[in-house]
Amino acid sequence: MKNRFKELFLFTIAIAGLGLANSCSEDFTEVSPLGSTSYANFWKTEQDAQEAVNSMYAYMTDQEMFSRGFFWYINASDDMVTGRIKAAADNIKDFNISGGEGSYTSTCYPKSYQVIRRANDVILNVPNMEISEALKDQYLGEAYFMRAFSYFWVAHTYGDNGANGGVPIVTELNMNDEAGSYTRPSSVIENYQQIEDDLKMAVDLLPLFTSYSAENYGRPHRDAALAYIAKTNLYWAQYDQSRYAEVVRYADAVTNSGSGRALIDTNNPEKDYRELHSHLNNWGSEYIWSVDSGIDGGSILTGVMLENKGWGKYNGWGYFTPSEGLYNEFEEDDIRRGVTMLNFGDNFTYFGEERRYQSENSNSGFQFNKYMYEFQYENPVGTYLNTNGDNPSTVYNVPLMRYAEVLLMKAEALIADGKNGDEPLNLVRERAGLSPKSNATMADLKHERRVELAGEFANRHFDLVRWGDAQEAYSKPIYGRIYSDRSNPDSPYTSEVVWPARNFDPSYMHVWPIPATVIQSSGIAPNQGW
């Protein structure tokens, strides 16, 4: 969506008086009354509808959502360490939090519900507007997708099928109920069912991505809805194994949609995987869903993972540094390792200069390389990088779902269901230049998912939780490489503990605490144990 960030800012200012800008607070009801003059008068023109729909995307680029917010939870995994000493971040990684961690994770939940409320507004009002039926379908499809996408993140992050239950279901039918009247469903399965229902509506209403003109790139499309049905069912399957068949069904629906979804694979593995993680393939055949980004705004994960202070060239933040365990997980001839992470002595280009990786800041001796393609150019600031180092987005759209994950979800569902998952798993391996697996096991799948999707929003932490592997994985310390001279890429290193073993109690740590502000304002039950 061309110039969307500037348009969204202006739109937010313009409609603040309607209550749409803050449309859903922690109690889900901070909005102008349904019958108010300002609210009713807004929903009149095609421009009104478009602006309301565009407002749903404002939080996609929020630092506390898909830049760092949800990633602090992923940082709890064994793939990385925090990278810099930061008390709140360290406490999250150590599962030592209460839900009062300020801007780190305490706003992921309420901001997701703000998106949900904006989607509810669209679903409630657009059907009665005097605009074309084609536009109604498009806008409603986007709203159903964004509502489902937001629920997907809060449901698995905070809800379960045990003592806690799901998260409150707020739709266009009950969004104006009395504050404090919302309750948690008995199971997160109710959330997953709602998500699936919404996504099926989106599938029926949304076009294929390939039918969009360039100015509409970044809007939800049919394949994204199909892929998130598959992922919702994959998470659902931890409670009901019959859902694995639905994972396969909807993964195949993505493949066969007619949009040409496919791996980037020209039989040049290193080039293919390197350019996959760059702006060159923002909208390529592997794109499913991402954070639409640019030099004027977007996900700042690209700069957050960069060397602290960027070797004096750019304001990197130095968070989320890979572990030695992740490095060792790659097979020796797996080209993905060099693309995914930098090890001392590795060659790379930075601001037009050929360098060998070294870091006086990295706590682990490594850095994620996946998001660094745009930093290679001689004068990248203002063309490839944000001019504001405090908002270090790039022209690379940080992926939230790739086609490779769709294939790995299918492989996992087949293997877990006692069937053969070799075909989809080996498509991913062969793109990486590796030999195929025969009669692949869950161990093979877990390995492949870890190395293919490392450092991404695919969510290694929750994978470990849903597989029942988190307690064992986190009972081991995390190692890094500590060099005798951190300014010298050829200096010797010792493998040392850079994060101690953690006590992960799966009886309650399988979900994160609902933010304290939400509990206080909404009256819903907190997650037990925290």
Side-chain angles (χ1 to χ4, degrees), residues 400-415:
L400 301 177
M401 173 82 78
R402 295 194 283 114
Y403 184 63
E405 186 175 8
V406 174
L407 291 173
L408 291 175
M409 289 192 296
K410 178 182 177 180
E412 179 177 346
L414 288 168
I415 294 169

Side-chain angles (χ1 to χ4, degrees), residues 221-289:
H221 53 95
R222 192 177 306 161
D223 286 354
L226 290 167
Y228 274 99
I229 296 176
K231 191 160 186 176
T232 299
N233 276 282
L234 186 68
Y235 284 16
W236 191 346
Q238 65 185 309
Y239 309 120
D240 178 0
Q241 290 199 334
S242 71
R243 307 311 299 185
Y244 284 126
E246 296 300 291
V247 179
V248 175
R249 176 186 174 190
Y250 284 97
D252 283 343
V254 175
T255 301
N256 301 321
S257 71
S259 68
R261 296 300 97 190
L263 297 180
I264 305 296
D265 189 354
T266 67
N267 294 317
N268 186 340
E270 187 169 8
K271 180 176 184 290
D272 290 341
Y273 199 69
R274 174 64 279 181
E275 294 187 354
L276 165 64
H277 296 287
S278 78
H279 70 283
L280 302 177
N281 280 298
N282 274 348
W283 311 113
S285 63
E286 194 160 339
Y287 159 72
I288 298 292
W289 189 235

Side-chain angles (χ1 to χ4, degrees), residues 2 14 23 52 65 130 136 159 167 170 196 203 216 236 264-265 303 310 363 384 408 415 424 448 469 506:
K2 192 174 181 180
S23 53
M65 291 286 278
E130 293 184 4
K136 284 185 182 181
V167 296
V170 185
E196 184 182 66
V203 167
N216 285 309
W236 191 346
I264 305 296
D265 189 354
N363 285 347
Y384 298 98
L408 291 175
I415 294 169
E448 207 61 42
D469 295 343

Side-chain angles (χ1 to χ4, degrees), residues 22-297:
N22 297 312
S23 53
C24 180
S25 72
E26 295 90 342
D27 63 4
F28 318 119
T29 57
E30 188 180 317
V31 67
S32 296
L34 186 62
S36 69
T37 302
S38 59
Y39 185 91
N41 286 341
F42 176 75
W43 300 95
K44 296 296 186 183
T45 67
E46 183 177 307
Q47 181 178 350
D48 291 344
Q50 183 181 51
E51 289 176 341
V53 167
N54 286 353
S55 76
M56 296 187 299
Y57 307 110
Y59 287 119
M60 290 291 291
T61 60
D62 194 290
Q63 285 193 23
E64 297 162 20
M65 291 286 278
F66 297 105
S67 290
R68 294 190 301 165
F70 280 113
F71 212 88
W72 289 119
Y73 293 138
I74 298 171
N75 182 58
S77 81
D78 53 352
D79 276 355
M80 62 193 82
V81 296
T82 302
R84 294 168 60 187
I85 296 173
K86 203 74 170 178
D90 293 350
N91 285 335
I92 296 166
K93 187 168 181 69
D94 286 334
F95 310 105
N96 183 30
I97 61 176
S98 64
E101 282 62 51
S103 62
Y104 283 83
T105 53
S106 292
T107 56
C108 298
Y109 183 106
K111 287 183 177 181
S112 294
Y113 272 97
Q114 289 170 13
V115 178
I116 289 165
R117 178 53 192 264
R118 294 181 187 198
N120 286 339
D121 275 320
V122 173
I123 294 167
L124 179 68
N125 289 283
V126 163
N128 298 319
M129 296 182 71
E130 293 184 4
I131 60 177
S132 72
E133 292 303 313
L135 273 180
K136 284 185 182 181
D137 285 351
Q138 174 69 41
Y139 293 157
L140 289 170
E142 292 185 49
Y144 280 115
F145 176 86
M146 288 303 296
R147 185 167 77 178
F149 173 76
S150 300
Y151 268 123
F152 171 81
W153 277 93
V154 292
H156 76 262
T157 302
Y158 304 103
D160 64 21
N161 189 40
N164 297 305
V167 296
I169 297 174
V170 185
T171 71
E172 76 281 8
L173 300 177
N174 68 339
M175 67 181 188
N176 291 291
D177 286 358
E178 183 179 355
S181 66
Y182 298 97
T183 58
R184 302 181 66 171
S186 61
S187 172
V188 74
I189 289 174
E190 295 182 50
N191 293 114
Y192 290 150
Q193 184 65 68
Q194 173 70 34
I195 293 165
E196 184 182 66
D197 290 344
D198 277 356
L199 290 171
K200 286 180 177 178
M201 290 290 290
V203 167
D204 290 340
L205 293 165
L206 290 174
L208 292 174
F209 171 76
T210 47
S211 73
Y212 279 139
S213 55
E215 63 265 22
N216 285 309
Y217 287 178
R219 295 190 183 277
H221 53 95
R222 192 177 306 161
D223 286 354
L226 290 167
Y228 274 99
I229 296 176
K231 191 160 186 176
T232 299
N233 276 282
L234 186 68
Y235 284 16
W236 191 346
Q238 65 185 309
Y239 309 120
D240 178 0
Q241 290 199 334
S242 71
R243 307 311 299 185
Y244 284 126
E246 296 300 291
V247 179
V248 175
R249 176 186 174 190
Y250 284 97
D252 283 343
V254 175
T255 301
N256 301 321
S257 71
S259 68
R261 296 300 97 190
L263 297 180
I264 305 296
D265 189 354
T266 67
N267 294 317
N268 186 340
E270 187 169 8
K271 180 176 184 290
D272 290 341
Y273 199 69
R274 174 64 279 181
E275 294 187 354
L276 165 64
H277 296 287
S278 78
H279 70 283
L280 302 177
N281 280 298
N282 274 348
W283 311 113
S285 63
E286 194 160 339
Y287 159 72
I288 298 292
W289 189 235
S290 60
V291 184
D292 192 4
S293 302
I295 59 171
D296 54 353

Side-chain angles (χ1 to χ4, degrees), residues 12 53 88 99 123 166 293 300 320 325 353 425 431 447 477 494 503 519:
T12 300
V53 167
I123 294 167
S293 302
I300 65 169
F320 311 139
E353 177 187 354
L425 183 138
R431 190 265 293 278
H447 162 82
T494 55
N503 295 317
I519 303 301

